[in-house]
Amino acid sequence: MDGTRRTVPGAQAVARAAALLRLVSASADGVGLQSLARDAGLSRSTAHRLLTALRVEGLVDQDETTARWMPGPELYLMGTVAAARYDITELSRDIVRSLAVKTDESAFLSTRRADETVCLVREEGSFPIRSFVLSEGVRFPLGVASAGLAILAFLPDHDVDAYLERHPELEERWGSAHGDRPLRRRLGETKARGYSVNPGLIVEGSWGMAAAVFDREGRPDWALSITGVEFRFSADRLPQLGRTLLAHAHQLSSRIAGGRH
């Protein structure tokens, strides 16, 4: 926990409620209390108390039949207002669609949110066998999914060092490939070729590739990615997919820099 949360009154409760909101928003079908409490690192009673308070405010809702928790109407209204400011989804949608058409794989736009990536846009490719690891609202720590790997690779070295110091749990939670040394090696490879490759490290047989998208100041705040089944990412095809990813990422970065809204 950072120093701000320790010194600002009520910050811990806000952080816990925000964690629950993120978890609820990441599932289209709702989430059970036990899963929410576990993933948020809370007791069942604390999670239930916070969820009940959020429901009173309309930020979450609970299905009467399944008792699963899901986003509430106020959260939708807030999101609608925020979308007018953070309109990267509309700015990028045709580029994401073009990426899916040209690769035949599912294509995505993800954004950096603190130490995570959040998927904003998904476009299905025409290839009939698909990977369903990623969809709108799904979050991963930086350096885990291909989008977060691409973003992390192009952050300044001191930011990468600080991130890895903050998250020693990556190896334990996501496997030995996410230990400090192998992760730094993949970051170096990503930076050298310009795009990341995730060879089934999250779900066996499900591969991903991504290229960072930069803001006007050159910060890697987003990433375009594609996912699919392993045999679609052969050694012969990877460079072609990489070039396509980089071309689309460059197009979106240029559009952002040009201020096309």
Side-chain angles (χ1 to χ4, degrees):
M1 184 179 299
D2 62 35
T4 301
R5 289 183 186 175
R6 285 196 298 266
T7 58
V8 177
Q12 184 182 56
V14 172
R16 288 173 169 179
L20 289 171
L21 285 173
R22 285 193 291 269
L23 291 168
V24 169
S25 300
S27 175
D29 301 321
V31 193
L33 175 61
Q34 183 173 347
S35 295
L36 287 170
R38 181 192 65 236
D39 293 343
L42 303 172
S43 67
R44 285 172 59 93
S45 60
T46 298
H48 187 266
R49 185 178 72 252
L50 289 169
L51 288 165
T52 300
L54 291 169
R55 182 173 60 180
V56 170
E57 299 298 329
L59 293 169
V60 299
D61 205 351
Q62 188 176 31
D63 187 279
E64 294 181 359
T65 303
T66 66
R68 294 170 74 86
W69 294 88
M70 55 197 62
E74 285 297 327
L75 201 61
Y76 168 77
L77 294 173
M78 291 178 181
T80 301
V81 174
R85 180 179 179 189
Y86 301 102
D87 61 350
I88 185 68
T89 56
E90 293 309 313
L91 198 66
S92 66
R93 196 170 295 278
D94 64 317
I95 293 176
V96 179
R97 187 177 301 116
S98 171
L99 183 59
V101 168
K102 291 186 177 180
T103 63
D104 296 324
E105 311 298 341
S106 296
F108 311 86
L109 173 75
S110 296
T111 185
R112 180 188 178 191
R113 178 65 178 89
D115 286 352
E116 298 178 312
T117 57
V118 185
C119 180
L120 300 178
V121 180
R122 174 181 178 129
E123 288 286 345
E124 299 290 359
S126 62
F127 191 73
I129 304 176
R130 295 169 183 155
S131 168
F132 293 96
V133 174
L134 197 58
S135 59
E136 290 94 337
V138 171
R139 295 168 178 262
F140 284 106
L142 294 177
V144 174
S146 57
L149 190 62
I151 290 173
L152 189 62
F154 286 94
L155 289 176
D157 291 343
H158 61 84
D159 286 346
V160 174
D161 292 340
Y163 171 77
L164 294 177
E165 288 177 8
R166 286 196 302 274
H167 295 284
E169 79 285 356
L170 287 176
E171 181 174 8
E172 180 179 354
R173 181 171 181 185
W174 298 98
S176 59
H178 297 90
D180 187 275
R181 184 173 296 178
L183 181 52
R184 286 182 185 274
R185 183 178 62 250
R186 287 205 309 282
L187 290 172
E189 293 168 351
T190 297
K191 198 166 186 178
R193 67 178 166 238
Y195 58 87
S196 66
V197 178
N198 188 328
L201 297 178
I202 299 175
V203 175
E204 186 176 357
S206 177
W207 282 46
M209 299 175 64
V213 174
F214 300 88
D215 68 8
R216 292 182 180 93
E217 284 73 43
R219 292 184 294 258
D221 281 350
W222 307 273
L224 291 175
S225 61
I226 54 175
T227 66
V229 290
E230 181 175 358
F231 72 86
R232 297 282 293 170
F233 292 77
S234 65
D236 291 340
R237 192 173 183 236
L238 280 176
Q240 174 192 343
L241 292 173
R243 287 191 295 270
T244 303
L245 262 171
L246 288 171
H248 284 72
H250 177 72
Q251 182 183 4
L252 184 53
S253 295
S254 298
R255 183 176 292 182
I256 292 167
R260 176 183 154 187
H261 296 278

